[in-house]
Amino acid sequence: MRTKVLRADKAGIAAAVEILRRGGLVAFPTETVYGLGARAFDAAAARRIYSAKGRPADNPLIVHVADEAMLSSVVSRVTPLARRLIAAFWPGPLTLVLVKSPRVPSAVTAQHPPVAVRMPSHPPPHALLPAYGELLDHFAGRASTAFSNPLMASMASGAALRNSCTYSATRRSIWSAGTTACTSPISL
């Protein structure tokens, strides 16, 4: 397969959308890292991300959304606290960990009930998401194996999470790996 380098302009976004629609992978920058993206509701596409990166299948991916309507197709429920965090920090480098909707394949969440979700503010994914309608992201950094929880391990790499925060509705706390204003962890 040939690698194409696309500009983050209208033509490049259109080409990336076509690659995604055909089940291909697209690398793109976010506020914090370069991610490898694919169709969020396609288990085979999720497996292609794992394969391309040599990522362990027990290391969950992050779904990026463009708006709250898209969020509602990814999660079963948005808690009141998550709504307050969305209002305060989205779009931006906050990852929410919420119970996934039945539409999200288990391959995306590494067989776990929660799904990690972000709404990026960085221009390339912010332009790509509305044009495509769904996106799946993979962190560029390697996760620490010191964490027993695969979801936390996927969020533990300082290189991958620099300047970002993660909120877990199930644990009611926020983790940070970087210089972002949140503290690690904060009980809510």
Side-chain angles (χ1 to χ4, degrees):
M1 177 176 275
R2 199 174 120 241
T3 300
K4 295 180 185 179
V5 178
L6 305 171
R7 297 179 60 96
D9 58 14
K10 193 173 184 174
I13 295 294
V17 166
E18 185 54 34
I19 290 167
L20 291 167
R21 285 197 175 124
R22 288 192 321 257
L25 305 180
V26 174
F28 59 92
T30 70
E31 300 89 342
T32 55
V33 298
Y34 277 86
L36 186 59
R39 293 168 39 188
F41 302 116
D42 181 341
R47 287 190 291 274
R48 280 191 285 284
I49 288 179
Y50 287 105
S51 176
K53 295 300 290 181
R55 183 184 182 99
D58 63 351
N59 194 346
L61 303 173
I62 295 177
V63 176
H64 283 195
V65 298
D67 53 36
E68 287 196 50
M70 195 180 288
L71 175 65
S72 68
S73 70
V74 174
V75 302
S76 303
R77 176 176 175 273
V78 179
T79 64
L81 180 55
R83 289 211 183 279
R84 289 195 306 272
L85 291 167
I86 288 168
F89 300 108
W90 274 11
L94 174 69
T95 302
L96 297 175
V97 181
L98 302 166
V99 177
K100 72 176 184 165
S101 81
R103 188 172 176 209
V104 176
S106 293
V108 171
T109 63
Q111 316 306 317
H112 297 286
V115 62
V117 186
R118 285 186 65 191
M119 185 186 298
S121 63
H122 195 58
H126 198 67
L128 184 59
L129 283 164
Y132 178 58
E134 60 185 67
L135 190 66
L136 182 75
D137 179 34
H138 160 64
F139 283 136
R142 290 245 177 233
S144 166
T145 57
F147 287 85
S148 59
N149 180 325
L151 187 59
M152 290 308 300
S154 74
M155 298 178 209
S157 170
L161 287 175
R162 192 176 356 268
N163 298 321
S164 66
C165 299
T166 302
Y167 164 71
S168 170
T170 55
R171 294 192 181 206
R172 294 187 51 81
S173 56
I174 296 177
W175 294 268
S176 171
T179 58
T180 306
C182 64
T183 305
S184 174
I186 301 171
S187 287
L188 303 171

